[in-house]
Amino acid sequence: MPESRRGVLYGIAAYAMWGLFPLYWPLLKPAGAVEILAHRMVWSLVAVLAILAVRRHWSWFRSMTRRQVLLLTLAALVISTNWGMYIYAVNTGHVVESALGYFINPLVSVLFGVLVFRERLRPWQWAAVGLGAVAVLVLAFDYGRLPWIALVLAASFGTYGLVKKAAQVGAAESLTIETLVLLVPALGYLVFLQANGTGTFVDHGAGHIALLVGAGLITAVPLLFFSAAAIRVPLTVVGLLQYIAPVLQFLCGILVAHETMPGSRWIGFAIVWLALSVFTWDSLRAARATRRRAGAEPALETV
């Protein structure tokens, strides 16, 4: 199988798993969102250490710089916010709003590029960001409040991406450091819950234990699939594949969780999808123009 096709399959697998997460977290009840988050941190570390042991990949520890460790510590704090908010959203009947967060995440990342890296946007990118802002206002009117769950998810995941980009560390390696940072508070919280009798780990049967432990595996595996995809296919392809996850999350909210979607909410989501269509079209157009220029340069040099 060609490496590019293999990369696309890895990407589809990663985003499909992320998109189906809303089906998993409700299975962990009666555990609360914070308890699930703590288990996810602990068992993610166990899973990624097992993967590294199978690969015998430990040499990277010695090459870590202090700057990278500090950046990954910040990444750990940001992603724990994202994970906790997402689990809370799914288990309290806000699956559709959580999907909105990941729909608007590309637009938030573009804004971060402008604010943090002083990047200049093309006119169509500004149009997409403007449409995204209009969609948020429409949905705020529909909900009677700002869609704060979606905004927290989009902002935290966008920030996580910025920090990870600055750290320049592989997926398995960074997840190891991030979960090591979170291990002590996560374990401490779980011990506290069990000590005061409010923990659920040992009181609801072997199936419940297996599901809580499995939270680590389903965290590590899609990250590794994503990493494998990112090195095999162009970023434009990865950018298109990323919409698989929020589409599946949205469908889970509508078809499985049976969340209500009044007409005004459909209008808000339609504006978001229009914004993403404009953003994707402009990104593909710019990528094609870049490839054409790159192909023309060698020819010009020979003249």
Side-chain angles (χ1 to χ4, degrees), residues 200-255:
T200 67
F201 186 62
V202 297
D203 300 326
H204 293 81
H208 185 66
I209 293 174
L211 287 169
L212 286 171
V213 172
L217 191 63
I218 69 165
T219 297
V221 170
L223 276 173
L224 296 178
F225 281 162
F226 173 78
S227 180
I231 63 177
R232 287 174 169 84
V233 298
L235 286 178
T236 51
V237 175
V238 175
L240 291 174
L241 293 177
Q242 73 177 330
Y243 297 127
I244 293 173
V247 166
L248 289 176
Q249 292 166 7
F250 180 79
L251 292 175
C252 286
I254 298 297
L255 302 178

Side-chain angles (χ1 to χ4, degrees), residues 134-303:
V134 171
V136 169
L137 292 176
V138 171
L139 290 166
F141 176 79
D142 170 74
Y143 283 112
R145 58 171 174 81
L146 279 175
W148 62 272
I149 291 175
L151 294 175
V152 170
L153 288 172
S156 59
F157 200 72
T159 304
Y160 181 67
L162 285 178
V163 176
K164 291 288 288 287
K165 181 178 180 180
Q168 292 292 305
V169 179
E173 296 87 342
S174 63
L175 183 61
T176 302
I177 299 299
E178 290 162 31
T179 48
L180 274 172
V181 168
L182 299 168
L183 179 63
V184 172
L187 269 179
Y189 181 72
L190 292 175
V191 169
F192 168 76
L193 289 181
Q194 290 303 135
N196 67 15
T198 57
T200 67
F201 186 62
V202 297
D203 300 326
H204 293 81
H208 185 66
I209 293 174
L211 287 169
L212 286 171
V213 172
L217 191 63
I218 69 165
T219 297
V221 170
L223 276 173
L224 296 178
F225 281 162
F226 173 78
S227 180
I231 63 177
R232 287 174 169 84
V233 298
L235 286 178
T236 51
V237 175
V238 175
L240 291 174
L241 293 177
Q242 73 177 330
Y243 297 127
I244 293 173
V247 166
L248 289 176
Q249 292 166 7
F250 180 79
L251 292 175
C252 286
I254 298 297
L255 302 178
V256 180
H258 302 294
E259 294 184 16
T260 58
M261 282 289 290
S264 55
R265 198 166 302 173
W266 279 110
I267 292 172
F269 270 84
I271 298 173
V272 169
W273 295 330
L274 176 60
L276 292 176
S277 298
V278 170
F279 176 78
T280 303
W281 169 78
D282 181 71
S283 298
L284 293 174
R285 184 176 63 90
R288 285 195 296 268
T290 301
R291 286 195 298 269
R292 283 197 299 269
R293 286 194 299 269
E297 284 174 2
L300 290 173
E301 290 172 2
T302 60
V303 175

Side-chain angles (χ1 to χ4, degrees), residues 18 21 34 53 56 58 64 69 77 81 108-109 123-124 141 143 150-151 158 195 230 232-233 238 258 263 273 296 301:
W18 281 326
F21 271 9
V34 180
R56 297 182 180 180
W58 305 108
M64 291 286 294
V69 172
L77 298 176
T81 300
V108 171
S109 296
W124 285 110
F141 176 79
Y143 283 112
L151 294 175
R232 287 174 169 84
V233 298
V238 175
H258 302 294
W273 295 330
E301 290 172 2

Side-chain angles (χ1 to χ4, degrees), residues 17-26 86 90 95 98 248-249 252-253:
M17 291 183 71
W18 281 326
L20 295 175
F21 271 9
L23 302 180
Y24 191 84
W25 303 126
Y86 185 69
V90 170
V95 178
S98 69
L248 289 176
Q249 292 166 7
C252 286

